[in-house]
Amino acid sequence: DAGVIQSPRHEVTEMGQEVTLRCKPISGHDYLFWYRQTMMRGLELLIYFNNNVPIDDSGMPEDRFSAKMPNASFSTLKIQPSEPRDSAVYFCASTQSGGGQPQHFGDGTRLSIL
Amino acid sequence: KQEVTQIPAALSVPEGENLVLNCSFTDSAIYNLQWFRQDPGKGLTSLLLIQSSQREQTSGRLNASLDKSSGRSTLYIAASQPGDSATYLCAVPETSGSRLTFGEGTQLTVNP
């Protein structure tokens, strides 16, 4: 089975540019999560969706961040405009509801804002 | 608010040793507890998930225990190997499928 697929794996861009991160969850999973990992703050949940609907976006740092899930097989996390402090590894994870299933993570997008 | 703590932050052992990683959480009303492994430059790999009604789970050389009443979980690794070197994280969800709260992780190095 294909796991969670994220693209791009690495992104380097200049401050002020728009950045779009992409995620394809595991087929059949109805929950999708976006996390950010930094040395200073560890792993933080940004937002999660259930059946394509955003449930909790309280972790989104500010209005520059937005996330969408137009269908069950695709989600995007957008940063506009990007700032150097957004540099981090961004992970997408998915899981299947019912019975406490484990979350499965993608390999992440390493984002560097210059 | 749930807080998850992992001790030690780093651990270095010679190959072949048995070792224990610790995880504690402040709110015992957890649905389950999950242990992950993270290799450098990689995402998290789920190792074991213990439901709240279970006391332990085993997978190969790994054994995870859960004591909800005391807010603790341990990950036991038997006969450690250099390939076990990674960062190990524990995490608890608030409810099934919802946000996970992660510990800071234990960075394990197994020396040949």
Side-chain angles (χ1 to χ4, degrees):
Chain A
D1 285 342
V4 175
I5 299 172
Q6 292 187 246
S7 64
R9 288 297 315 278
H10 303 274
E11 176 90 16
V12 180
T13 192
E14 291 188 349
M15 183 173 106
Q17 297 297 308
E18 177 179 292
V19 173
T20 299
L21 312 181
R22 297 173 176 79
C23 175
K24 177 179 168 56
I26 293 173
S27 177
H29 284 190
D30 54 350
Y31 279 86
L32 183 140
F33 305 81
W34 281 101
Y35 292 90
R36 177 170 69 175
Q37 186 176 40
T38 61
M39 289 292 292
M40 293 295 294
R41 300 172 68 91
L43 263 168
E44 304 174 280
L45 178 68
L46 301 177
I47 185 172
Y48 76 93
F49 296 82
N50 178 218
N51 291 322
N52 313 336
V53 176
I55 302 300
D56 183 351
D57 65 354
S58 60
M60 296 286 263
E62 47 199 276
D63 292 345
R64 297 185 296 106
F65 286 69
S66 63
K68 294 182 180 180
M69 192 165 185
N71 57 62
S73 59
F74 184 66
S75 176
T76 60
L77 178 67
K78 188 172 293 187
I79 308 172
Q80 166 65 20
S82 58
E83 297 182 3
R85 60 193 167 117
D86 302 330
S87 298
V89 182
Y90 290 80
F91 289 105
C92 176
S94 69
T95 191
Q96 196 170 38
S97 62
Q101 299 298 312
Q103 290 191 16
H104 296 269
F105 281 69
D107 282 341
T109 295
R110 186 171 297 274
L111 177 64
S112 297
I113 309 296
L114 306 177
Chain B
K1 179 186 173 187
Q2 178 75 270
E3 293 182 2
V4 181
T5 305
Q6 290 187 246
I7 295 173
L11 182 63
S12 182
V13 300
E15 182 177 2
E17 268 204 11
N18 302 325
L19 57 100
V20 175
L21 308 181
N22 297 291
C23 171
S24 61
F25 44 94
T26 54
D27 184 350
S28 62
I30 61 170
Y31 198 84
N32 57 54
L33 185 144
Q34 196 168 354
W35 282 94
F36 292 90
R37 168 187 174 137
Q38 186 175 26
D39 293 284
K42 294 287 189 179
L44 279 68
T45 300
S46 179
L47 296 174
L48 290 164
L49 183 147
I50 313 176
Q51 302 291 354
S52 61
S53 58
Q54 297 176 317
R55 297 280 296 179
E56 64 179 62
Q57 278 281 343
T58 298
S59 176
R61 294 181 296 107
L62 305 180
N63 177 278
S65 67
L66 176 63
D67 184 343
K68 275 185 61 178
S69 60
S70 66
R72 293 179 186 175
S73 176
T74 61
L75 180 66
Y76 175 83
I77 303 177
S80 58
Q81 302 171 357
D84 295 331
S85 298
T87 297
Y88 291 80
L89 299 104
C90 67
V92 294
E94 294 166 7
T95 56
S96 176
S98 72
R99 58 172 52 238
L100 284 176
T101 301
F102 283 86
E104 296 287 330
T106 293
Q107 186 173 358
L108 173 65
T109 302
V110 181
N111 301 301

